[in-house]
């Protein structure tokens, strides 16, 4: 049985603010007819400008949406309005879905079964398992790309040394990195080029010299790591050099014991993470062909941001039993629909497949086994959360975000705000401003808060009130 979502959870599914406003305009009972809800679906007809009502239905188990209206937004205002009506208790229960809803649900299950079969066949294929070797042309192209990337990063390393030697006063021009970014794109290192092109945003802050030097240091670390780890994987190169062996352990002690941080991460996992940061892709097929982790995954928060003319959606999950953190990413051009299948505040019984790396975080939902009602997640102390972030940074020094669930904690401060607990506090990100809504929910009392850790502070995402109701911040 799907636990009924509240108003905040429904409105968070809207693709934009106008859709939220429009959905509230069609959420009154008088707009709807033929409405009903079962354990995993809700449906109804919404009166529109024509003589025939728009038929809208929602598969609550994923969720997925269908509406007969011509809107290109997904979900449309009618699907959202129907969910708002359902969240307010305005949709009566039904024993069976309407015929047209049942037909759509059956079609979805059939497509899902076929997709699962294809995925299993792909995972067992020689291409996915690596049993089939690459052809001569593929090998030659791969070698050429490796050479281009190595040359591009060597160029970047020299450029960074020049910047430090000459000083960073000339970096105040917003086009300072354009030429180098173009050369890195030509060198087939797109992720590094993107990181360079985003440095102009650093110049808008008062402490831009310190932040710029920090970004330069991370770029230099990436160049050196790629050079040394790539050399260490080639015995002919490593035998006569001072490069540390690729199997050297980087994470030890408590960091090695943190969930999802593997002991001895200085080998293939770290090399894979470095290559990903450079721009070598890992396909979905390769990820899904690997091992999966089944758990009850709490969807603790979501944040959208514009990145390189794309809208990137970050959905954060935490495993109830494994304690692991996971990030599900989706991208869309501005105005297009983003993945809305993971609803903040719900708990999903699912298999996740993690991208390879020394501190695996990004994941794909490989299989769903249903949504369960287990209450809100338990929080950790500030000290425990910081220990976990430290372990993640030891495995991936370029990490810029990590999900934490803190509790019991309270928002505190006056000019500078932070989340405080018995064992200490963590400052909020400067962009958060005064956390009015969080303060209103807290009322001075301790809360459980889900937040996104960043090097500049926490971004609060979600909290739960004294009745356990999820509130999206």
């Amino acid at each position: 049985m799907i636990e009924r979502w509240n108003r905040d959870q429904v409105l968070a599914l809207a693709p934009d603010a106008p859709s939220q406003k429009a959905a509230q305009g069609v959420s009154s009972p008088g707009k709807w007819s033929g409405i009903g809800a079962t354990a995993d679906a809700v449906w109804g007809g919404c009166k529109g400008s024509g003589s025939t009502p728009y038929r809208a239905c929602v598969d609550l188990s994923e969720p997925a949406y269908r509406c007969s209206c011509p809107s290109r937004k997904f979900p449309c205002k009618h699907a959202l309005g129907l969910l708002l009506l359902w969240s307010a208790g305005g949709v009566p229960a039904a024993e069976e879905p309407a015929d047209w809803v049942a037909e759509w649900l059956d079609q979805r299950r059939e497509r899902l079964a076929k997709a699962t079969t294809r995925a299993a066949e792909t995972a067992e294929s020689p291409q996915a398992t690596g049993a089939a070797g690459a052809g001569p042309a593929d090998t030659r192209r791969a070698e050429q790309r490796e050479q281009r990337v190595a040359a591009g990063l060597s160029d970047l390393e020299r450029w960074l040394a020049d910047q430090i030697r000459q000083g960073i006063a000339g970096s105040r021009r917003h086009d300072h990195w354009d030429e180098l970014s173009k050369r890195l794109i030509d060198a087939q290192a797109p992720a590094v080029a993107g990181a360079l092109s985003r440095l102009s945003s650093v110049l808008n802050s008062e402490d831009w010299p310190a932040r710029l030097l920090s970004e330069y240091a991370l770029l230099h670390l990436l160049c050196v790591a790629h050079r040394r780890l790539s050399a260490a994987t080639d015995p002919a190169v490593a035998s006569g050099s001072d490069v540390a062996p690729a199997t050297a352990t980087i994470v030890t002690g408590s960091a090695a014991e943190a969930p999802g941080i593997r002991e001895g991460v200085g080998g293939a996992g770290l090399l894979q993470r470095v290559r990903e940061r450079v721009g070598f892709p890992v396909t979905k097929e390769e990820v899904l062909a690997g091992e999966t982790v089944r758990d009850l995954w709490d969807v603790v928060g979501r944040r959208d941001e514009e990145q390189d003319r794309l809208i990137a959606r970050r959905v954060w999950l935490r495993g109830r039993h494994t304690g692991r953190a996971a990030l599900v990413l989706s991208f869309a051009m501005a105005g297009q629909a983003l993945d809305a299948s993971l609803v903040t505040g719900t708990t999903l019984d699912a298999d996740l497949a993690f991208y390879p790396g020394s501190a695996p975080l990004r994941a794909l939902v490989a299989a769903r086994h249903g949504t369960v009602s287990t209450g809100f997640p338990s929080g950790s102390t500030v000290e425990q959360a910081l220990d976990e972030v430290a372990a993640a940074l030891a495995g991936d020094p370029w990490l810029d975000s990590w999900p934490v669930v803190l509790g019991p904690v309270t928002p505190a401060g006056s000019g500078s705000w932070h989340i405080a607990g018995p064992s200490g506090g963590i400052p909020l990100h400067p962009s958060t401003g005064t956390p009015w809504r969080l303060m209103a929910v807290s009322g001075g009392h301790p809360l459980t808060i889900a937040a996104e850790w960043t090097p500049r502070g926490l971004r609060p995402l979600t909290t739960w009130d004294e009745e356990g109701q999820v509130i999206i911040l």
Side-chain angles (χ1 to χ4, degrees), residues 26-106:
V26 295
S27 62
S28 60
K31 293 279 188 179
W32 292 89
S33 61
I35 54 177
T38 59
D40 56 2
V42 58
W43 64 90
C46 183
K47 183 179 180 181
S49 56
S51 57
T52 305
Y54 294 124
R55 284 181 167 183
C57 56
V58 180
D59 181 350
L60 299 170
S61 62
E62 192 168 340
Y65 316 90
R66 183 182 182 184
C67 186
S68 59
C69 75
S71 174
R72 293 185 179 181
K73 292 186 177 182
F74 187 82
C76 68
K77 66 177 183 179
H78 304 106
L80 291 168
L82 177 62
L83 287 174
L84 286 173
L85 185 61
W86 170 67
S87 72
V91 178
E95 294 184 1
E96 297 291 337
D99 292 342
W100 60 276
V101 178
E103 181 182 358
W104 176 63
L105 293 174
D106 290 341

Side-chain angles (χ1 to χ4, degrees), residues 46-291:
C46 183
K47 183 179 180 181
S49 56
S51 57
T52 305
Y54 294 124
R55 284 181 167 183
C57 56
V58 180
D59 181 350
L60 299 170
S61 62
E62 192 168 340
Y65 316 90
R66 183 182 182 184
C67 186
S68 59
C69 75
S71 174
R72 293 185 179 181
K73 292 186 177 182
F74 187 82
C76 68
K77 66 177 183 179
H78 304 106
L80 291 168
L82 177 62
L83 287 174
L84 286 173
L85 185 61
W86 170 67
S87 72
V91 178
E95 294 184 1
E96 297 291 337
D99 292 342
W100 60 276
V101 178
E103 181 182 358
W104 176 63
L105 293 174
D106 290 341
Q107 291 173 351
R108 281 185 46 76
R109 295 188 185 102
E110 184 179 348
R111 287 195 298 270
L112 178 60
K114 290 181 179 179
T116 303
T117 302
R118 284 196 301 269
E121 292 173 350
T122 300
E124 296 171 359
S125 67
Q127 290 80 4
T129 59
D138 294 330
T139 301
R140 186 166 56 254
R141 282 193 294 269
E143 290 174 349
Q144 289 173 347
R145 180 175 186 183
E146 294 285 355
Q147 293 169 0
R148 292 192 189 101
V149 169
L153 293 183
S154 179
D155 189 17
L156 173 60
E157 201 172 341
R158 287 191 298 270
W159 183 89
L160 289 169
D162 290 341
Q163 297 300 300
I164 300 303
R165 183 166 49 251
Q166 298 168 6
I168 61 173
S171 303
R172 293 307 302 267
R173 301 195 328 267
H174 285 264
D175 61 348
H176 183 67
W177 306 275
D178 289 355
E179 184 61 34
L180 183 58
S181 296
K182 293 175 183 177
R183 294 205 302 270
L184 286 167
I185 290 174
D186 291 340
Q188 295 182 281
V192 182
L196 268 177
S197 65
R198 290 190 292 272
L199 286 180
S200 59
S201 63
V202 172
L203 303 180
N204 298 325
S205 59
E206 293 183 2
D207 59 341
W208 70 267
R211 290 187 59 194
L212 185 60
L213 286 172
S214 176
E215 295 295 335
Y216 279 174
L218 288 173
L219 286 170
H220 181 264
L221 179 64
L222 184 62
C223 294
V224 174
H226 181 269
R227 170 164 51 83
R228 293 186 177 180
L229 288 172
S230 297
T233 58
D234 186 346
V237 176
S239 59
S241 69
D242 60 352
V243 176
T247 56
T249 298
I250 289 182
V251 176
T252 58
S254 62
E257 298 168 2
I261 310 298
R262 293 199 297 271
E263 188 175 358
V265 297
L270 181 57
L271 176 59
Q272 182 60 53
R273 182 52 52 118
V274 168
R275 289 174 64 84
E276 180 185 341
R277 296 289 182 183
V278 168
F280 287 94
V282 180
T283 66
K284 287 186 177 182
E285 291 74 18
E286 290 174 318
V287 175
L288 293 173
E291 294 183 358

